[in-house]
Amino acid sequence: MRRTIVIDPVTRIEGHSKITIQLDDRGEVVDAHFHVTQFRGFERITQGRPVHEMPALMARICGICPVSHLIASAKAVDDILAVEPPPTGADLRRIINLAQIVQSNALSFFHLSAPDLLFGFDADPAKRNIIGLARENPQLARDGIGLRKWGQLIIEWLGGKRIHPTGIVPGGVAEPLTADVRDRILAGVPEAIAAVERAIAWYKTDMLRWEEEASTFGNFRSAFMGLVDRDGNVDHYDGWLRVIDADGKYLADRIDPHNFNDYIGEAVEPWSYLKSTYWKPMGYPDGIYRVGPLARVNVAERMGTPRADEELERFRWRVGRVAGSSFHYHYARLIDTLHCIEKIELLLRGPDILSTHVRSRAEVNRNEGIGVSEAPRGTLMHHYKVDDDGIVLWANLVIATGHNNMAMNRAVLQVARHYVKGDQLVEPMLNRVEAVIRCYDPCLSCSTHALGEMALQIQLLAPDGAVLDELAR
Amino acid sequence: MTTVFTLQIDGRDVAGSEGQTVMEVAEENGIDIPGLCHLEGIHDRGACRLCMVEIAGTPKLAAACMTTIVEGMDVTAHSERLLEYRRAITEMMFVERNHVCAVCVANNHCELQDMAADLELTHFDLPRISPKVDIDASHRLFAIDHNRCILCLRCVRVCDEIEGAHTWDVMNRGLDTRVQTDMGIPWGDSTTCTSCGKCVQVCPTGALFEKGRAVASGSKRQRPFLPWLKVVKEERGQ
Ligand code: SF4
Ligand code: SF4
Ligand code: FES
């Protein structure tokens, strides 16, 4: 007899989703699925719209990382116009993108995950949140709030609006940077660096407590994918795709992102609207790979900025050249954040950053365009086709949570195997399923619930669908 | 010698010359009567019906932009009833086509949007029609998104009266009414269009726009330019 445990609803990623854990006769976990059961269909909405509207339209896909979609979309439209933004325009886009990653990473680490790490996964959920964190470790909470605010302010100053900035346009950015804004951002750099370095120091001492979790939280062999620059260092905005295997061997390097379709396939499963992407040369489902902060630090030679590189060396010394456990997303996310801050400073100190030549203009010159960049959660791809008048005929997006879909399923299965015993629904399992999903920081609206607590509901179902046990909070 | 008439608008004594419309006299006296099709510099057409006013002694409402003044007229331009009508008309303009302000080139400088705000139209009661409506982006410089057209016909009038090209006209009836270029061929194929851009400038919404403009970055001039063009034209005796 097979029984199914349903955790529902974990999320509202592009709609709703839930988790099911399948037991066999002996009460052993045989399978686990992360279902996305609703679909927002943005690809469809874009059909028939003028291509210049795409960045703003795409920014509305997500209230959590609108800037990432703006960037990837603007790059895809650049491609259709066959223009390159002027160097300063590209740098200003880079800065906004990095600021977005800083604020999003801060939300993921400090607001959502740090409470688990501080209080333990089995602590009372009522205290396992940013408010509890503020009581117990006020400095850590302050650092998280400060980093997030700094990132948001940069987006607001550069992009016009915090939530749905309009400053990123096809061909570059709408407005040049003023000396005043540059200096205001630079003034915040030392504190931002100090904040993330304090968090790294805290994490490094604390992580020893989580050996068991580190070994069971999505600890498996998989490939990794991310963008790297000319020197093979992390690049969040441009560059080439690099894919490595679990041992660090290159599966492919210097892939022109325009050719991503040659390498990445998308599989559709009946149980989810979220497409699972896979590494084509290895086929589905063997071609499992991960993206995001962990993938970025794994694929890159170095981060390319001094402080982050120092931390990266320690990271590799502790967890290996290619970190396999998804638990290390947290650690990697902090190093990623440190790098972003250093990079923002570097770009702002560039000699031409105040240039007023920030936008190139052109008409529609191609019928197809692809834009690829690194979003906080991983590589993001926008691919459009337009007619000769620039009307969108077709659009496809490959989002980070799609790249990670198979890995998330694998991780949930691993956690369930380790923590589900018999047909009883127990809190530790629920807590860890929630926490392992959080490692990937998927863009689940409810994972960013104000108190950082996911609305979870587990149901234990008999084969005939009868509810045997129920656990909710 | 022009005859001067005296009349009342919203209880205020005002004066105007024979032949002027209630709208013009109100404008001259700083009384704001809402309207979306009226535009100084081109002939009025009475298309939007937002300027409807009450005139003492007649049961019927009259469009202020189409009604010439007479001596002793007593006009009510603002009342609860008129406000309700104006809200209803504005609401119909929204539900008749597809307006998504957040991704519209005219966002934050749209006369329809401003009208909704001024009338405090906070929500729609009428069901949305959500018709499938086209975009014509075949012109090299400009595009028309019929989703946002309110059929004010400013484009038709400015193209005819000021530019003299008469590229724009109206086709079909009822819900299917559309402005069209050159008997319904794609704008880009029009042989009469001079690409002057006046229609784009006068369009109150995001229906007509310069291609390549991103969201909320339309290019409407703030200064009314039509009256000047008209004066120039008249001085040249055209
Ligand atoms: S035309 Fe005006 S009302 Fe319509 S979508 Fe655009 S901004 Fe909104
Ligand atoms: S296109 Fe613009 S100017 Fe022409 S009728 Fe429609 S709303 Fe009016
Ligand atoms: S302004 Fe009078 S009908 Fe439009």
Side-chain angles (χ1 to χ4, degrees), chain A residues 47-50 52-53 56-58 60 161 166 168-170 359 361-363 388-391, chain B residues 102-105 107-108 135-141 145 147-148 209 211-216:
Chain A
Q47 277 169 19
R49 301 307 312 167
H52 279 85
E53 277 180 15
L57 202 55
M58 290 294 111
R60 285 181 158 69
K161 270 195 271 175
T166 47
I168 298 166
V169 293
R359 182 173 183 186
R361 288 173 198 275
E363 297 172 17
D388 293 345
D389 298 333
I391 298 293
Chain B
V103 294
C104 178
V105 59
N107 195 10
N108 298 332
I135 296 178
D136 180 355
S138 58
H139 193 283
R140 201 175 64 82
L141 301 173
D145 184 347
N147 285 293
R148 304 169 184 149
F209 57 95
K211 273 170 107 169
R213 290 270 169 184
V215 166

Side-chain angles (χ1 to χ4, degrees), chain B residues 136-145 167-168 181-182 184-191 193-195 197 199-200 207-209:
Chain B
D136 180 355
S138 58
H139 193 283
R140 201 175 64 82
L141 301 173
F142 315 119
I144 177 161
D145 184 347
T167 303
W168 290 101
T181 40
D182 279 11
I185 61 171
W187 195 356
D189 297 340
S190 163
T191 50
C193 173
T194 63
S195 301
C199 54
V200 175
L208 286 164
F209 57 95

Side-chain angles (χ1 to χ4, degrees), chain B residues 73-197:
Chain B
M73 220 180 195
D74 180 4
V75 179
T76 305
H78 295 88
S79 68
E80 260 316 303
R81 169 172 167 234
L82 289 171
L83 182 62
E84 274 316 306
Y85 283 142
R86 287 173 185 152
R87 279 197 189 128
I89 291 168
T90 310
E91 181 179 351
M92 284 185 223
M93 287 178 181
F94 276 101
V95 299
E96 194 176 335
R97 302 272 169 108
N98 305 302
H99 292 265
V100 187
C101 301
V103 294
C104 178
V105 59
N107 195 10
N108 298 332
H109 34 83
C110 168
E111 292 181 41
L112 178 60
Q113 210 179 34
D114 293 345
M115 183 65 65
D118 290 348
L119 298 176
E120 294 174 0
L121 181 67
T122 52
H123 62 279
F124 300 150
D125 293 322
L126 295 169
R128 284 171 187 274
I129 296 175
S130 306
K132 177 98 189 62
V133 183
D134 289 335
I135 296 178
D136 180 355
S138 58
H139 193 283
R140 201 175 64 82
L141 301 173
F142 315 119
I144 177 161
D145 184 347
H146 291 282
N147 285 293
R148 304 169 184 149
C149 173
I150 57 168
L151 297 171
C152 69
L153 308 188
R154 285 185 187 178
C155 53
V156 175
R157 288 173 284 154
V158 76
C159 185
D160 178 41
E161 296 173 23
I162 308 287
E163 181 60 8
H166 200 123
T167 303
W168 290 101
D169 215 318
V170 193
M171 64 177 185
N172 302 342
R173 304 181 67 88
L175 282 178
D176 297 326
T177 309
R178 301 281 182 273
V179 287
Q180 63 165 6
T181 40
D182 279 11
M183 308 301 285
I185 61 171
W187 195 356
D189 297 340
S190 163
T191 50
T192 60
C193 173
T194 63
S195 301
C196 74

Side-chain angles (χ1 to χ4, degrees), chain A residues 19-22 29-35 271 408-414 416:
Chain A
I19 285 179
T20 58
I21 298 165
Q22 201 148 73
V29 174
V30 286
D31 210 354
H33 282 318
F34 178 67
H35 308 247
W271 41 266
M408 281 194 294
N409 278 297
R410 182 86 61 97
V412 169
L413 175 62
Q414 193 176 36

